Amino acid sequence: MSVITAAPPVSRTRQLAAATVGNIVEWFDWYVYSMLALYFSSQFFPKTGDPVVPLLSAMAIFAVGFFMRPLGGLLGGMVADRLGRKKALTATVMLMGVGSLLIAVAPTYDQVGVLSPVLLVLARLLQGLSTGGEFAASSTFLVESAPEGRRGFFSSFLYIGATLGNLAAIASVAFLVAVLPDGAMHEWGWRVPFAIGTLGAVAGLFIRRFAEETLALNDPADPSAPAGNAKTARPSAFEFMRTHPKECLLVFAINAAPTLYFYVFSSYLPTYAHITVGFEMKNALFVGLISLTYFAILQPLMGVLSDRIGRKPLLLAFGGGFTLLTIPLLNALQNSFLSLLLVQMAALTLLACYTSITSAVMCELFPARIRAAGIGLPYALGVALVGGTGPYVATWLADAKMIDAFGWYLTILAAITTAAFLRLKESYKTGLPQ
């Protein structure tokens, strides 16, 4: 007599931990670069007598990471669809760890000359590829790991990880700046967070080793195949664009402006307040810690709410809210701690209506075999072309004495995004497309 033994149930906690730890590492490394550029820029570039020149060079290399994200989204998505989500998640956290290690141990310009900035560029290329691929793979992995009726809740852990990574970056840099003399920070202190990021990537690799694959890579009739994901032939390159062009355009449209809002209201707002009302930047750190903690707490609450009432009500609350309230919120900024905190928390409340469920919304557009690539490239293009431009647009408008136009720029984008949300079909009660 033959006995068929059912596969053990997937540990939902293990799945959530595997996805979240990677996002924490990814975004910790991403943010510490921008926070520490002031300290390490002079180490990687020749001294010119003008301290601004090395800083601008370091930030230009930071931008390289943004423009590598579409390629990372495409490659990471293709790996996830062809070889499985778990292999893609392993690759992305390894790339981020190698990039961080390169920066942590890189020799200075005085030691090796031009090789120093070359290594910095290489590290940012790897990190840009990693970040683009991580979003595609972890979005699909999280949502496919969710039991029916809880996809919104599982989706929320993507931005929980991203926010915790941001908070960890702020805390580590703040601690080092507080305990180390300025000279030590410029000489070697800036290397410490990158070393921490490398160790975090190793921890992420270990945790992801025990995750369960969510893409069926074998015959769907096989009882050991992951449930809920039928699999036929492996997808060809760019098949997602040929077979689902409308869905790809929707992914771009529903993410481009919201990611811009994320960068503006999660990290750039203190600088905007400094430009417009003279806000004292020394208080920005504490505002950020409080408001981002609040933002992280909101994610699972909004995710659960979307599982009860649907995705579209929350998306329309985000789009309609920012269409109506962006200018009033920016105009409410004053040179006070409480003013910035209340404006940032109000904006992040609206933003959480989008961030908590964006992975679920996108995954519900594509069948399993092209899901990761269908999300990865359009999303990363939206981030690269629109999402990361907010600080630059605001700075340019401020230099042109037109800073008030920034609010209208954001408002118009929010209105366009709301129109894209209206095109979406409600799908929270249906199963994932197969």
Side-chain angles (χ1 to χ4, degrees):
M1 179 185 295
S2 62
V3 178
I4 296 176
T5 303
V10 174
S11 169
R12 309 296 181 187
T13 302
R14 184 187 301 159
Q15 298 294 87
L16 289 173
T20 305
V21 69
N23 272 293
I24 292 173
V25 172
E26 294 280 337
W27 290 103
F28 173 84
D29 289 344
W30 190 264
Y31 282 114
V32 293
Y33 183 101
S34 61
M35 294 178 185
L36 292 171
L38 179 65
Y39 294 98
F40 68 71
S41 57
S42 61
Q43 302 284 313
F44 286 95
F45 300 97
K47 296 177 175 60
T48 63
D50 184 353
V52 176
V53 174
L55 180 59
L56 288 175
S57 300
M59 295 313 294
I61 293 176
F62 178 72
V64 168
F66 267 103
F67 289 101
M68 287 301 293
R69 285 170 68 165
L71 180 58
L74 174 62
L75 296 178
M78 290 175 63
V79 170
D81 287 337
R82 292 184 174 199
L83 303 178
R85 320 307 191 203
K86 189 174 174 180
K87 282 187 170 60
L89 290 171
T90 299
T92 56
V93 77
M94 285 181 63
L95 284 174
M96 184 59 76
V98 171
S100 292
L101 180 62
L102 272 177
I103 299 176
V105 302
T108 65
Y109 186 88
D110 289 341
Q111 292 170 329
V112 296
V114 73
L115 178 61
S116 181
V118 167
L119 289 174
L120 184 62
V121 170
L122 177 60
R124 290 305 298 165
L125 291 174
L126 294 176
Q127 291 184 325
L129 285 172
S130 171
T131 305
E134 174 72 20
F135 186 91
S138 60
S139 290
T140 52
F141 177 81
L142 275 170
V143 176
E144 290 171 354
S145 296
E148 200 61 42
R150 299 191 70 192
R151 292 197 298 265
F153 173 69
F154 271 60
S155 171
S156 69
F157 278 79
L158 188 79
Y159 271 89
I160 289 175
T163 307
L164 290 178
N166 194 353
L167 286 168
I170 293 173
S172 63
V173 173
F175 175 77
L176 287 170
V177 170
V179 300
L180 291 178
D182 190 64
M185 274 299 298
H186 279 84
E187 185 175 350
W188 59 267
W190 60 268
R191 296 182 186 269
V192 175
F194 293 106
I196 293 172
T198 305
L199 294 176
V202 173
L205 276 173
F206 178 78
I207 293 172
R208 287 183 168 181
R209 179 183 175 187
F210 299 100
E212 298 288 338
E213 179 57 65
T214 62
L215 177 70
L217 293 170
N218 48 8
D219 181 14
D222 185 342
S224 67
N229 269 326
K231 170 74 170 60
T232 56
R234 290 182 176 179
S236 59
F238 299 101
E239 179 181 330
F240 63 96
M241 296 183 70
R242 294 195 302 270
T243 60
H244 290 71
K246 183 190 300 183
E247 288 80 4
C248 291
L249 285 173
L250 272 174
V251 169
F252 179 90
I254 66 178
N255 286 291
T259 53
L260 169 62
Y261 271 86
F262 175 73
Y263 287 116
V264 168
F265 286 103
S266 68
S267 57
Y268 183 70
L269 192 63
T271 302
Y272 180 86
H274 176 73
I275 292 172
T276 56
V277 296
F279 179 77
E280 304 238 356
M281 292 299 289
K282 64 182 180 181
N283 296 321
L285 177 65
F286 301 105
V287 173
L289 287 171
I290 295 170
S291 57
L292 287 174
T293 301
Y294 166 76
F295 185 58
I297 293 170
L298 281 180
Q299 301 305 309
L301 301 178
M302 294 294 191
V304 169
L305 182 61
S306 80
D307 287 331
R308 299 286 180 84
I309 67 172
R311 319 289 186 223
K312 286 188 74 170
L314 270 70
L315 293 175
L316 292 174
F318 163 85
F322 275 119
T323 300
L324 296 174
L325 298 177
T326 295
I327 292 176
L329 284 172
L330 294 179
N331 288 341
L333 287 171
Q334 299 174 15
N335 185 14
S336 74
F337 180 94
L338 183 60
S339 168
L340 180 63
L341 178 63
L342 292 177
V343 168
Q344 189 162 34
M345 290 179 71
L348 291 180
T349 301
L350 292 175
L351 190 62
C353 294
Y354 155 81
T355 55
S356 60
I357 61 173
T358 181
S359 294
V361 170
M362 292 185 293
C363 285
E364 289 162 355
L365 292 172
F366 296 95
R369 64 192 304 274
I370 58 168
R371 184 171 291 140
I375 292 171
L377 179 60
Y379 172 85
L381 281 173
V383 173
L385 298 178
V386 181
T389 63
Y392 302 100
V393 172
T395 303
W396 179 81
L397 289 172
D399 186 60
K401 311 300 182 186
M402 298 170 57
I403 190 61
D404 290 343
F406 186 60
W408 287 106
Y409 171 69
L410 294 177
T411 298
I412 292 169
L413 288 177
I416 294 171
T417 303
T418 304
F421 288 153
L422 290 170
R423 301 279 298 176
L424 289 169
K425 294 180 180 179
E426 185 58 79
S427 56
Y428 77 107
K429 288 187 176 180
T430 61
L432 285 174
Q434 299 300 320

